Amino acid sequence: MDSIRIKGGRPLVGEIRVGGAKNAALPLMTAALLSDEPLILANMPRLADIETMKALLEQHGVTITLEEPEDGVSGRNATLDARGVNNTTAPYDIVRKMRASVLVLGPLVARHGQARVSLPGGCAIGTRPVDLHLKGLEQLGAEIELDQGYILAHAPNGLTGADIVFPFVSVGATENLLMAACLAQGTTRLKNAAREPEVTDLAECLNAMGARVSGIGTDTLVIEGVESLGTANHAVPPDRIETGSLAMAAAATGGDVTLLGARPDMLEQVFRAMGQAGAVIDCEADRVRVRCPRVVGIDVMTEPYPGFPTDLQAQMMAMLVRAEGASMITESIFENRFMHVPELCRMGANINLHSRSAMVRGVARLTGAEVMATDLRASMSLVIAGLVAEGETVINRVYHLDRGYERLERKLATCGADIERVAGR
Ligand code: EPZ
């Protein structure tokens, strides 16, 4: 297995282009299942999770072509053609690798009247059940059974619109039911729906395919079902979590980095928090410049959008470990998303966990160490810690980073980081 070796202590200075958003691209790819006309997606990132979703959709019978752009740098173009879907089973071997696989459930039931999708099981950051997805589909008229680790869903006569009130915000359940409702008979109202930019983007793509979704960007999505969906051309938005991660890396190292092709409007809370922590952030429509003369402790709590995202909690913690003063970081979305804490402490951080909160007392220095992370964002927090630590840090299990950060070591190296990928033996 590959690892990443970093010699820390250099401020990041320069420009980095942000890639397409993983968490927008994955649901968009599953939306192709709703139509028998091709869906064309631009700005697709080069990530392991995209390859996993490609493999999943291909085994359902979707034809997918991914083209490199002429410059070899911008995102790829994907054409997904679901005319030939001949298999409605999503097997355990793929679903266990990537939980977003469960997003094929709604589109398959809506268009084919049936689906057999492996239950994803537990995960390093929490138990992550899919009960809201299943209850919502039942409300749309599907019969759901669980059998030998699989979800069996049937709706031989199609789905029917319903009013669905989510007891709490779920990005995936909102996306699954939004897609399913597009082909249901009648009107569906999704209340307390997720407002994450990736949900908004999916709704816009569905409308471009011929769906009738209104209330986009609010917590109530209203979907008038249509007979069928057609073709669309849609560009994957820039990755707000990659943008935030790189901004925090720049700030933690006391650097000066401009992130190109970004959407700062999707990161208002994040940049507000970083500003309180001492970062100087200059936003333009499609770029953001981050500098940070000194970091001071602040309190942060993760919340559904537009609040501070759980997907940036670990990276924010890495930025705050060397702050002047203390910070309190509270995770309100996932019950076990502090797996980076013991590893940061091995590098010299002073962090105490109290249930869902972490008290981070700033330390003067971190020292490099060999570390390992159990999930994508935790791995990125260790990269940030490695960039500021004295000496050498080796981060193992790089496959986590490859799931969600495109060409990370190259991007950081162009800004002066001493970082390299070491091929596994
Ligand atoms: C999405 O996961 C993202 N994944 C996650 O990104 C992100 O952390 C999460 O939303 C929260 O923002 C993708 O978009 C592919 P949820 P999702 O349903 O949809 C509980 C990353 O690093 N819940 O909003 O799975 C759940 O356990 C990742 O890129 C239920 O109890 O998240 C969690 O505590 C990881 N029952 C909370 O709700 C359900 O049926 C929010 O989860 C569904 C969710």
Side-chain angles (χ1 to χ4, degrees):
M1 261 185 268
D2 292 0
S3 50
I4 294 235
R5 190 199 53 78
I6 303 172
K7 284 197 187 128
R10 295 188 181 190
L12 294 177
V13 178
E15 293 183 341
I16 305 179
R17 183 157 290 280
V18 173
K22 164 179 89 77
N23 290 347
L26 294 172
L28 288 170
M29 291 173 80
T30 65
L33 287 168
L34 289 165
S35 173
D36 61 7
E37 292 180 42
L39 175 62
I40 299 150
L41 298 174
N43 200 31
M44 290 283 288
R46 295 166 192 79
L47 298 170
D49 274 10
I50 299 296
E51 298 307 319
T52 304
M53 183 59 87
K54 180 170 177 277
L56 175 64
L57 294 176
E58 283 175 339
Q59 67 84 48
H60 285 306
V62 182
T63 307
I64 304 179
T65 53
L66 269 169
E67 283 164 31
E68 280 296 331
E70 276 177 16
D71 63 8
V73 179
S74 357
R76 296 177 294 177
N77 291 321
T79 304
L80 299 96
D81 187 337
R83 243 176 317 182
V85 167
N86 51 12
N87 166 28
T88 52
T89 295
Y92 176 66
D93 260 3
I94 301 186
V95 180
R96 75 182 165 82
K97 277 199 226 160
M98 187 183 69
R99 302 180 57 84
S101 306
V102 82
L103 293 175
V104 300
L105 180 63
L108 285 174
V109 186
R111 179 146 165 257
H112 300 280
Q114 60 175 29
R116 181 169 171 268
V117 176
S118 172
L119 277 163
C123 158
I125 62 177
T127 50
R128 300 184 76 184
V130 289
D131 54 322
L132 301 187
H133 303 234
L134 304 188
K135 276 186 202 142
L137 275 177
E138 278 178 336
Q139 285 176 270
L140 294 178
E143 282 172 24
I144 307 278
E145 274 176 78
L146 299 183
D147 182 46
Q148 298 183 6
Y150 277 77
I151 304 159
L152 308 184
H154 286 277
N157 302 317
L159 299 171
T160 312
D163 277 14
I164 296 170
V165 184
F166 295 111
F168 50 88
V169 174
S170 163
V171 174
T174 303
E175 291 169 342
N176 231 339
L177 298 171
L178 167 63
M179 289 190 278
C182 287
L183 295 183
Q185 283 170 34
T187 305
T188 299
R189 281 179 200 82
L190 301 179
K191 296 184 183 166
N192 199 21
R195 287 182 285 162
E196 267 64 6
E198 295 76 25
V199 175
T200 297
D201 179 67
L202 173 65
E204 280 164 0
C205 177
L206 291 167
N207 277 353
M209 293 166 76
R212 295 180 60 199
V213 184
S214 56
I216 297 177
T218 75
D219 66 358
T220 303
L221 292 170
V222 181
I223 305 118
E224 308 278 349
V226 296
E227 279 281 304
S228 62
L229 295 183
T231 182
N233 262 290
H234 185 83
V236 177
D239 196 317
R240 67 189 167 104
I241 305 301
E242 185 194 13
T243 307
S245 303
L246 294 171
M248 287 165 193
T253 61
D256 182 349
V257 171
T258 299
L259 299 166
L260 304 172
R263 280 278 304 272
D265 57 309
M266 294 177 177
L267 285 142
E268 279 180 17
Q269 280 290 347
V270 172
F271 290 155
R272 188 168 303 137
M274 288 182 67
Q276 283 166 359
V280 181
I281 308 220
D282 298 311
C283 296
E284 287 176 38
D286 64 346
R287 63 183 56 200
V288 51
R289 180 178 177 197
V290 183
R291 288 163 289 166
C292 194
R294 64 192 260 261
V295 182
V296 293
I298 55 159
D299 292 349
V300 177
M301 178 154 92
T302 65
E303 285 174 323
Y305 192 82
F308 190 97
T310 172
D311 289 349
L312 285 171
Q313 176 258 111
Q315 302 89 314
M316 189 74 189
M317 192 181 295
M319 174 182 156
L320 292 170
V321 288
R322 286 198 320 158
E324 292 166 29
S327 305
M328 176 74 90
I329 300 184
T330 304
E331 171 59 54
S332 78
I333 311 289
F334 291 108
E335 66 271 25
N336 191 29
R337 211 172 193 181
F338 283 132
M339 302 294 278
H340 43 287
V341 167
E343 297 299 284
L344 290 173
C345 289
R346 289 186 53 243
M347 297 175 73
N350 180 350
I351 307 170
N352 282 303
L353 283 179
H354 305 274
S355 176
R356 289 197 162 194
S357 294
M359 169 65 84
V360 184
R361 293 188 174 84
V363 293
R365 56 194 275 267
L366 294 183
T367 49
E370 186 166 350
V371 289
M372 180 178 80
T374 45
D375 82 87
L376 167 60
R377 309 303 172 187
S379 304
M380 185 64 206
S381 84
L382 298 178
V383 169
I384 296 175
L387 291 171
V388 299
E390 291 170 14
E392 185 172 290
T393 295
V394 175
I395 299 158
N396 295 311
R397 300 203 179 169
V398 171
Y399 60 85
H400 288 300
L401 282 170
D402 294 336
R403 291 186 59 177
Y405 291 97
E406 185 177 336
R407 300 173 173 176
L408 178 66
E409 66 278 13
R410 275 193 252 173
K411 289 186 180 186
L412 293 173
T414 59
C415 288
D418 185 342
I419 181 169
E420 66 176 359
R421 180 180 289 252
V422 182
R425 276 161 276 147

